[in-house]
Amino acid sequence: MLPAIIARVSPRHFVKYTFVKVDPAWRRLESEEREQDKREFIAACEDFADGHLLQSFSLVGTRGDAELMLLAEAENLDRIHEFHVVLAQSGLMKWSEISHSFLGMRKSSEYSEDERTVPRGFRGRYVFVYPFVKSREWYALPAQERWRIMQGHIEVGREYSGVDNHTTYSFGLDDQEFVVAFDTNDVGTFLDLVQRLRTTEASRFTVRDTPSFTCLAMSLERALNALDGEPIALAAGL
């Protein structure tokens, strides 16, 4: 099996955003049962996190259709698939649904020299994620014209150095063309950046950039505890 797996490894990693919504009935289970469900979920995540990037975020209080987000990155789709198969077997996922799911792939930008092919996690306290689609008119423009327009867009972004961009590509892989993600320690700065970006020439070619998810970065243990307010003590966690 090992040679076959190696053959499928891509130099450009896959990035998967999984948003989870828990059935309210789960919170009415006995605390011991909920704790066991959490432990099974953590075990599945720790198995994947051994050698792969995996980060957890809470959306409790910021969205009504998602309470937990997992960012998973792997060298091939097989590993992403295996992770979600194991995750689905956990007790918690039997009471949950994946309300939103975005798949992207790392790729260098044709408009910027910023490195985007190297795996890197979010470092900010807050993370913002949304799918993004441009109009067909955009792609009909000459390459040099698109490059010119994007330089103005990029320059605005660079004025807000406290906000870091983590865009990945989804052409043919998912419903959107890009998964746009930012991290920062200052929510107000991000809001100001997005408002400024609405005024750029490039913004005219936006077809869709919703839904938008506001996520709080935290340990998996803490994110799971936020689901029901019940603590689970772990010797070690993600």
Side-chain angles (χ1 to χ4, degrees):
M1 284 295 295
L2 187 58
I5 293 176
I6 292 176
R8 292 194 297 268
V9 170
S10 169
R12 300 185 303 186
H13 283 201
F14 293 89
V15 180
K16 178 64 163 54
Y17 294 87
T18 302
F19 294 85
V20 177
K21 173 70 173 176
V22 178
D23 187 332
W26 176 78
R27 298 183 178 89
R28 295 193 286 272
L29 299 177
E30 295 296 327
S31 59
E32 294 80 6
E33 187 172 353
R34 283 184 277 114
E35 179 172 338
Q36 179 60 31
D37 289 346
K38 291 181 187 178
R39 290 186 181 277
E40 292 176 4
F41 191 94
I42 289 172
C45 290
E46 288 184 333
D47 178 67
F48 178 84
D50 183 14
H52 298 88
L53 174 65
L54 181 67
Q55 292 183 281
S56 54
F57 305 83
S58 178
L59 291 90
V60 173
T62 68
R63 290 282 303 196
D65 56 355
E67 298 165 296
L68 175 72
M69 190 269 278
L70 296 177
L71 165 71
E73 181 160 347
E75 65 281 0
N76 55 49
L77 284 175
D78 301 76
R79 194 64 187 94
I80 297 289
H81 164 75
E82 291 163 3
F83 169 50
H84 282 273
V85 168
V86 176
L87 195 66
Q89 296 170 1
S90 68
L92 182 60
M93 286 306 295
K94 291 182 174 72
W95 288 90
S96 305
E97 65 171 336
I98 296 178
S99 58
H100 300 275
S101 173
F102 305 125
L103 177 65
M105 193 174 191
R106 293 198 177 275
K107 184 178 183 294
S108 295
S109 171
E110 61 185 299
Y111 309 114
S112 171
E113 294 181 354
D114 293 345
E115 181 58 72
R116 288 187 179 177
T117 59
V118 178
R120 62 189 181 98
F122 293 107
R123 294 176 293 180
R125 178 76 178 86
Y126 307 102
V127 168
F128 307 90
V129 182
Y130 55 88
F132 191 85
V133 178
K134 288 185 174 181
S135 67
R136 291 301 174 92
E137 288 76 13
W138 168 257
Y139 298 103
L141 293 175
Q144 189 61 30
E145 179 67 0
R146 283 186 281 116
W147 187 91
R148 180 194 65 79
I149 294 173
M150 282 303 299
Q151 296 318 296
H153 198 76
I154 292 170
E155 283 303 314
V156 170
R158 287 174 176 164
E159 293 177 20
Y160 297 81
S161 58
V163 181
D164 196 9
N165 183 287
H166 295 255
T167 297
T168 53
Y169 292 70
S170 301
F171 292 95
L173 303 182
D174 209 336
D175 292 345
Q176 67 282 338
E177 295 173 350
F178 309 89
V179 183
V180 179
F182 297 88
D183 70 328
T184 183
N185 290 321
D186 186 343
V187 176
T189 298
F190 173 73
L191 183 148
D192 294 341
L193 166 61
V194 175
Q195 185 175 7
R196 278 284 309 282
L197 290 175
R198 292 290 192 273
T199 68
T200 67
E201 187 176 358
S203 182
R204 293 170 43 205
F205 298 92
T206 299
V207 172
R208 180 167 64 93
D209 57 0
T210 57
S212 183
F213 300 87
T214 297
C215 313
L216 284 71
M218 59 184 66
S219 68
L220 181 58
E221 175 188 351
R222 186 180 170 199
L224 291 177
N225 290 342
L227 297 177
D228 62 354
E230 292 282 348
I232 175 174
L234 297 176
L238 290 175

